Amino acid sequence: EFRESIETRAAGFAAERATPEDIAALKKLLAEAMDYSRQDALNSREFYQLEAKMHRELARMSKNPLFEWIAGMVTLQNWEIVGPLIQNETTEGRRSLEEWIEIVAAIENREIMHAQTIIRTHLGRYSNYLRSSQRRSQTGDDNSLRMAARHLDV
């Protein structure tokens, strides 16, 4: 809930305040993410780290240093914790990429409300996916999934 609130505001401010250079930097990250799609690697550690970098860039574009600091702290979740929950999943990566395409377009077009709506949808869907993966992992045999689930409870 906290992350959703902060990043929703950050997306709105990014749509309002981003410079052409900021938008170009985010579009460059998006192009890199699209390369992972072409390589069918949307469930890779590298894609996950790039997506976290896109969240940090979005916060930086808000021109609010507190949002940027919070995004940096929140995206420090490492692959060892979340990776086991998403490493065999390609559908979520594809959905994330589709949402990022829409987020970048909304920011570039200065569509504040649309940028906020899409990032909120993106974070909510991801959170729901992780919770459902967590529930499945708590009933499974895989120790790494149970360990990841415990870290998500924090």
Side-chain angles (χ1 to χ4, degrees):
E1 293 170 353
F2 177 75
R3 181 178 181 187
E4 190 176 312
S5 297
I6 294 298
E7 287 198 49
T8 296
R9 294 290 296 171
F13 285 136
E16 181 181 342
R17 301 172 179 170
T19 66
E21 295 79 16
D22 292 334
I23 294 168
L26 188 59
K27 286 174 91 172
K28 182 178 180 209
L29 293 174
L30 179 60
E32 289 178 43
M34 293 173 85
D35 286 342
Y36 284 102
S37 177
R38 286 187 275 282
Q39 298 167 24
D40 203 24
L42 292 174
N43 60 340
S44 68
R45 174 188 204 124
E46 292 78 14
F47 176 76
Y48 172 80
Q49 290 171 333
L50 178 62
E51 211 239 345
K53 189 174 183 180
M54 292 169 72
H55 282 276
R56 291 190 301 273
E57 182 65 17
L58 179 79
R60 188 193 65 73
M61 292 168 62
S62 76
K63 310 299 185 203
N64 182 316
L66 186 56
F67 288 171
E68 187 175 358
W69 180 79
I70 290 169
M73 297 302 293
V74 169
T75 59
L76 284 178
Q77 291 177 326
N78 60 30
W79 179 259
E80 289 71 28
I81 294 171
V82 179
L85 296 174
I86 64 173
Q87 66 186 349
N88 296 317
E89 176 60 60
T90 56
T91 304
E92 289 303 311
R94 192 160 314 287
R95 284 185 187 146
S96 280
L97 182 57
E98 291 167 359
E99 289 160 350
W100 274 107
I101 290 168
E102 205 168 338
I103 291 164
V104 172
I107 290 170
E108 185 173 29
N109 294 324
R110 307 295 184 191
E111 297 170 342
I112 295 168
M113 295 299 290
H114 189 59
Q116 290 177 324
T117 299
I118 298 305
I119 197 72
R120 185 180 313 111
T121 299
H122 172 74
L123 292 168
R125 184 191 50 72
Y126 183 69
S127 178
N128 289 337
Y129 172 76
L130 289 178
R131 280 192 204 105
S132 112
S133 295
Q134 179 183 17
R135 283 190 296 276
R136 285 193 309 271
S137 73
Q138 290 171 338
T139 61
D141 298 329
D142 190 333
N143 278 338
S144 64
L145 288 177
R146 280 197 302 280
M147 180 183 248
R150 258 185 264 128
H151 280 85
L152 289 173
D153 281 336
V154 178

